């Protein structure tokens, strides 16, 4: 079901022409808001103000930006995610695997900041906080538990930063979020149904509003702490559905509520010497708000699409910046991103697991006004087991169609980004 877009929706969509196909932070969250931060594994972001992109993680950091600044860039993502195991139906068993089932992607961004006076700075940000897509293929032997899933958001922020005192800054902003998603499951070859028969499919889209707020404390000239919070955003994804009723595939319309969870970050920045700075951060995401995918259909009523039952997760990052000379800054960082699911609740369509980030990057001041940044990250995902059915009624119904699945997910991702920033 397509809805009429506002001019703002069209502007955001045009600015974010390409979107990610697999999330690289926990769940379907995306950390890749700029190539500048990519080079330090996004360590200390809520306390950093390299360029206009700083407002995305903490609007209070706008007060550290002078004049008018523009920053734009993109991050290229190359994921390699596999799942392999066995499906057992009755006394028979067969192999089920899908390799490299996430596509390459480019994540763009755009940021603008403008200093209104000595204490007030305004900003505009275009980016994305969430994105995930998996396509396991119609010949996947466990397709009855799900063979495709997608969540995609695009977002525009309007922000203000205000300097309360010489040491304390605060900031806040409104977030306009455009979201869409789908989930599907089909009958596998070993099912009594014709292979590829739609068991359940739901797609929809929506727009919603959220907010963010942050603060920064300049303890002394060499040490700074930042704190930021982004609100939960509920998307009512309205669209179409196909449900297998036992005898036929029924077409319907309706909606499915999908919560984009609240997040928080505490970060610090420390100028250890004239050349060396250290920074770190702890991030929290309220993934326990993601309990289920449940459709409210106009004719068939309430239909369970997928039980999820995720848990809150934390991310820990440490980074360093070394000013090699007056023009060149070198960056590095490492991060540990905890998975947002227990072993019981991990699924094939969202193979969520712990991740380790290893990052390097650099920034070069081409002129006094123009800076170019680049970053590279390699992400190692922890091998993790998957078992479906997980004991939920909807899983048991799927298992009755095509059998149970027992297997493992493995994967890695590499990211390469560039960022250009100009100060007027």
């Amino acid at each position: 079901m397509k809805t009429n877009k506002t001019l703002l929706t069209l502007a955001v969509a045009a600015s974010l022409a390409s979107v990610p196909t697999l999330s690289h932070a926990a769940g379907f969250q995306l950390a890749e808001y700029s190539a500048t931060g990519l080079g330090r594994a996004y360590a200390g972001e809520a306390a950093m103000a390299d360029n206009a992109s700083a407002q995305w993680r903490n609007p209070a950091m706008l007060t550290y930006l002078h004049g008018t600044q523009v920053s734009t860039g993109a991050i290229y993502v190359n994921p390699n995610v596999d799942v392999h195991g066995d499906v057992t139906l009755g006394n028979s068993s067969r192999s089920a695997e899908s390799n490299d089932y996430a596509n390459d992607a480019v994540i763009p961004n755009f940021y603008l900041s403008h200093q209104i006076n000595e204490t007030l700075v305004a900003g505009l940000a275009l980016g994305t906080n969430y994105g995930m897509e998996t396509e396991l293929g119609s010949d996947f032997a466990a397709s009855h538990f799900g063979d495709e899933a997608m969540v995609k958001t695009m977002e525009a922020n309007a922000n203000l930063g205000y300097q309360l005192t010489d040491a304390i800054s605060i900031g806040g902003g409104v977030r306009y979020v455009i979201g869409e998603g789908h989930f599907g499951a089909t009958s596998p070859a070993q099912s009594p149904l014709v292979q590829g028969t739609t068991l359940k499919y739901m797609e929809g889209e929506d727009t919603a509003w959220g907010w963010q707020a942050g603060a920064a404390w300049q303890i002394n000239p060499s040490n700074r702490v930042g704190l930021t919070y982004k609100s939960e955003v509920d998307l009512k994804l309205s669209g179409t559905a196909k449900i297998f009723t036992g005898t036929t595939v029924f077409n319907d319309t309706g909606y499915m509520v999908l919560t984009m969870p609240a997040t928080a970050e505490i970060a610090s920045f420390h100028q250890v010497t004239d050349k060396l700075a250290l920074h770190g951060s702890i991030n929290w995401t309220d993934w326990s708000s993601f309990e289920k995918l449940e459709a409210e259909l106009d004719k068939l009523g309430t239909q369970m699409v997928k039980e999820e039952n995720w848990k809150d997760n934390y991310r820990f990052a440490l980074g360093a910046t070394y000013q090699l000379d007056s023009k060149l800054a070198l960056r590095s960082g490492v991060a540990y991103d905890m998975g947002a699911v227990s072993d019981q609740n991990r699924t094939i369509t969202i193979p969520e697991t712990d991740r380790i980030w290893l990052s390097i990057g650099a920034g070069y001041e081409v002129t006094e006004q123009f800076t170019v940044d680049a970053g590279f990250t390699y992400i190692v995902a922890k091998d993790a087991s998957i078992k479906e059915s997980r004991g939920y009624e909807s899983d048991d119904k799927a298992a009755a169609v095509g059998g149970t699945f027992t297997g493992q997910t493995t994967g890695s991702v590499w990211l390469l980004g560039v960022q250009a920033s100009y100060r007027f």
Side-chain angles (χ1 to χ4, degrees), residues 144-195:
H144 49 298
F145 290 112
D147 61 354
E148 59 177 318
M150 184 272 281
V151 176
K152 177 174 69 177
T153 67
M154 297 175 286
E155 186 170 321
N157 298 171
N159 302 300
L160 285 174
Y162 183 73
Q163 189 166 348
L164 283 174
T165 69
D166 288 343
I168 303 295
S169 298
I170 59 173
V174 293
R175 302 163 53 207
Y176 180 71
V177 182
I178 305 165
E180 62 179 285
H182 67 245
F183 179 90
T186 59
S187 58
Q190 70 272 18
S191 166
L193 303 174
V194 175
Q195 183 178 2

Side-chain angles (χ1 to χ4, degrees), residues 6 9 35 66 88-90 125 147 158 189 193-194 211 242 257 293 306 362 374 389 410 422:
T6 63
T9 303
H66 301 292
T88 302
L89 180 61
D147 61 354
L193 303 174
V194 175
W211 57 272
K242 295 180 180 181
V257 175
L293 295 173
K306 193 80 173 179
S389 168
T410 60
Y422 192 85

Side-chain angles (χ1 to χ4, degrees), residues 20 52 93 103 107 123 142 156 165 170 182 207 241 262 292 294 314 325 328 343 348 352 356 358 389 394 396 400 404:
S93 179
N103 298 324
I107 307 173
T165 69
I170 59 173
H182 67 245
T207 60
K292 58 187 176 182
E294 189 173 60
Y314 292 88
D325 57 36
L328 181 62
D343 288 342
I348 301 167
E352 170 64 3
I356 294 176
L358 304 171
S389 168
S394 58
D396 290 341
T404 61

Side-chain angles (χ1 to χ4, degrees), residues 287-306:
W287 278 120
S288 58
S289 62
F290 187 44
E291 297 179 350
K292 58 187 176 182
L293 295 173
E294 189 173 60
E296 297 293 338
L297 303 182
D298 296 331
K299 297 177 181 177
L300 293 178
T302 302
Q303 296 287 323
M304 179 59 67
V305 178
K306 193 80 173 179

Side-chain angles (χ1 to χ4, degrees), residues 28 129-130 153-155 157 174-179 206-212 229-237 257-263 286-287 289:
F28 44 87
N129 273 313
Y130 298 96
T153 67
M154 297 175 286
E155 186 170 321
N157 298 171
V174 293
R175 302 163 53 207
Y176 180 71
V177 182
I178 305 165
D206 189 25
T207 60
W209 293 88
W211 57 272
Q212 61 185 9
Y229 178 87
K230 289 182 184 287
S231 73
E232 178 180 286
V233 175
D234 288 325
L235 292 170
K236 184 178 178 181
L237 302 176
V257 175
L258 180 63
T259 298
M260 303 291 105
T263 64
D286 185 23
W287 278 120
S289 62

Side-chain angles (χ1 to χ4, degrees), residues 20-35:
T21 56
L22 185 73
S23 63
H24 312 111
F28 44 87
Q29 189 177 22
L30 291 163
E32 296 85 358
Y33 78 101
S34 82

